[in-house]
Amino acid sequence: MEKKALIKIILIIGIGLIIAGPIIGYATDKVILVPKKAHEIPETSDDELRDAYAKEFTLTKNQKAVISFSVFTPNITARLKIFNQYYYEAEYDSNSDPTGLSGEDFIYSTFIIGQSPSTSGATSITITEQGEVYIEFTGARNGINLISLPGRYVVVVYGVNSDPANDNVYFNLGLKVDGPGGILSSIFVIAGIIILLCYALLLSYNYLNKLRRGR
Amino acid sequence: MPEKRSLADNIPLLDKGKAMKFIIYGLLVAILFGLMMMISRSIALDADEWQTLAIFENQMNYEHGVYGYTDYVLRGDQITRIYNWMNFQDVIFMNIARVGINIALVFILIGFLSFAVAENIDERTRRIFLIIAGMILFLVMFTTFFASITVSVT
């Protein structure tokens, strides 16, 4: 009886792994470093790097960072650049003007219903008044093709508010990096298939044994 | 000590109960493999519709900002790969089903043969079972050596 219960448990585990694989893969496909939400920085960020918004992240080989950057407030001009961390730290120490700094290459897309998908390359992106861009970054690019360059990077946002009564710059930013979703999903599904195969082989072996011994 | 008889030795001497079990199990296995083959064929035939839907969903997801251009291109490649696998899996499962159905037909054949040689059945019924067994044997031989049967009228 115990053996039968164990075999049933093995079967349930195998089926469970196959079902859970794609779900876990989807859930861990992207790791959210910064959930998409509103941020506020002072207008002085346009001249002083220390007042700009900064978020560090690390990329490994073939890992991609995805940044959704948007502005939905009038009078705002917000700019986004991505720097190598060592370069950023050196410029931070001297509180440089971010406008004059050189950012890393990335590609960005804007979404227009009915328009064919397209992308462009840039080293900085500016949104005035309102708009939304979807940025993909892996360290370097060649045209619109991303090149993986592992390392530590910093995404920086700075801007101005043309409303004289308001000195703050408002923008929305979300940051995600590729997670282990693909690998995890494959591991779970393959493990489930192997367990089900072993279960089928065990059943066949028991049945053939019974036939050989005679019922 | 009674002589040990293997399954092969027992085949001509199967009693009615065992012979009926062979026929029923053979039928069940044949139906299951046949179902598998038809499902696989249906997936292959409807792969075009799936691809159209997947491409449209990919476009919509891009337009709604779910992901960017690079992911849009990658998912397009994934859709093409899955579409090709949906077409190719028919070959794999059809051949597995072919093996399974032939094995099932052999079991059914053994069952009918056992009925045909059973001594406690009347002559006429045994003849009918023998004819059925012969037809199944013909079917097994034909499907083993020929890929498909076609009839053309000109």
Side-chain angles (χ1 to χ4, degrees):
Chain A
M1 205 59 181
E2 272 185 17
K3 200 177 170 185
K4 278 189 181 172
L6 182 66
I7 289 174
K8 278 183 189 165
I9 289 168
I10 290 172
L11 176 67
I12 290 167
I13 289 172
I15 294 171
L17 283 173
I18 290 175
I19 293 171
I23 296 170
I24 288 173
Y26 179 78
T28 56
D29 185 45
K30 293 271 190 285
V31 176
I32 298 175
L33 298 181
V34 176
K36 191 174 177 185
K37 61 180 182 187
H39 298 272
E40 180 184 320
I41 50 175
E43 219 178 358
T44 50
S45 61
D46 199 47
D47 299 311
E48 296 173 25
L49 189 59
R50 288 183 189 171
D51 290 338
Y53 171 88
K55 176 64 187 174
E56 300 163 6
F57 60 96
T58 304
L59 291 180
T60 57
K61 182 89 178 129
N62 294 327
Q63 193 177 27
K64 185 176 69 181
V66 166
I67 303 164
S68 58
F69 176 52
S70 58
V71 170
F72 292 109
T73 313
N75 305 314
I76 301 291
T77 298
R79 295 183 185 85
L80 182 147
K81 287 182 181 175
I82 302 173
F83 300 119
N84 179 287
Q85 181 153 1
Y86 301 110
Y87 177 73
Y88 171 79
E89 283 169 357
E91 298 300 330
Y92 186 91
D93 286 341
S94 46
N95 203 13
S96 307
D97 182 349
T99 315
L101 301 180
S102 305
E104 302 289 339
D105 285 309
F106 56 81
I107 61 172
Y108 68 94
S109 311
T110 51
F111 307 108
I112 300 170
I113 307 289
Q115 192 179 77
S116 296
S118 64
T119 192
S120 306
T123 54
S124 70
I125 191 90
T126 301
I127 299 179
T128 303
E129 293 278 312
Q130 69 170 24
E132 184 172 9
V133 293
Y134 189 97
I135 295 165
E136 294 169 276
F137 174 72
T138 57
R141 69 176 172 90
N142 181 6
I144 59 167
N145 301 309
L146 292 172
I147 298 170
S148 175
L149 210 60
R152 295 165 67 183
Y153 300 93
V154 181
V155 59
V156 168
V157 178
Y158 57 96
V160 292
N161 189 339
S162 59
D163 183 357
N166 196 336
D167 290 339
N168 291 323
V169 176
Y170 307 98
F171 62 94
N172 299 318
L173 187 122
L175 173 61
K176 297 185 277 192
V177 294
D178 286 342
I183 296 172
L184 274 180
S185 172
S186 301
I187 289 172
F188 271 66
V189 169
I190 289 170
I193 290 172
I194 288 172
I195 288 172
L196 287 180
L197 275 173
C198 291
Y199 173 80
L201 285 171
L202 195 65
L203 273 183
S204 308
Y205 176 73
N206 284 341
Y207 180 73
L208 287 170
N209 252 354
K210 271 187 196 168
L211 271 182
R212 195 165 50 83
R213 275 190 250 117
R215 294 191 193 203
Chain B
M1 200 143 168
E3 197 184 310
K4 265 195 180 172
R5 301 177 72 93
S6 68
L7 179 63
D9 291 326
N10 279 334
I11 282 174
L13 304 172
L14 288 176
D15 59 29
K16 275 192 207 172
K18 268 199 181 147
M20 187 53 72
K21 269 191 191 171
F22 265 59
I23 292 172
I24 290 170
Y25 287 153
L27 272 173
L28 276 173
V29 170
I31 288 168
L32 281 172
F33 276 104
L35 261 177
M36 182 181 80
M37 188 172 75
M38 295 313 293
I39 290 170
S40 165
R41 182 60 55 86
S42 168
I43 291 171
L45 287 172
D46 292 324
D48 284 329
E49 277 80 13
W50 174 84
Q51 190 190 34
T52 305
L53 174 65
I55 288 172
F56 184 69
E57 277 189 347
N58 192 25
Q59 172 94 15
M60 277 187 71
N61 285 335
Y62 173 84
E63 287 174 1
H64 288 115
V66 175
Y67 42 73
Y69 181 78
T70 308
D71 284 329
Y72 168 83
V73 170
L74 280 171
R75 280 171 209 266
D77 291 343
Q78 278 173 359
I79 289 168
T80 305
R81 188 180 68 177
I82 293 171
Y83 168 74
N84 288 331
W85 265 111
M86 284 171 86
N87 281 326
F88 184 66
Q89 55 80 32
D90 185 42
V91 172
I92 297 170
F93 284 105
M94 196 180 65
N95 284 305
I96 292 171
R98 199 175 264 174
V99 171
I101 288 172
N102 277 341
I103 290 171
L105 285 175
V106 166
F107 273 85
I108 296 170
L109 171 67
I110 291 169
F112 277 113
L113 270 179
S114 298
F115 275 121
V117 300
E119 287 171 355
N120 49 0
I121 298 176
D122 64 283
E123 184 69 30
R124 194 159 168 243
T125 312
R126 283 162 65 183
R127 209 174 288 154
I128 292 170
F129 281 132
L130 190 63
I131 292 168
I132 295 172
M135 283 167 60
I136 293 171
L137 181 65
F138 178 76
L139 186 65
V140 169
M141 290 292 127
F142 207 83
T143 54
T144 301
F145 294 111
F146 295 96
S148 62
I149 304 169
T150 58
V151 175
S152 65
V153 178
T154 56

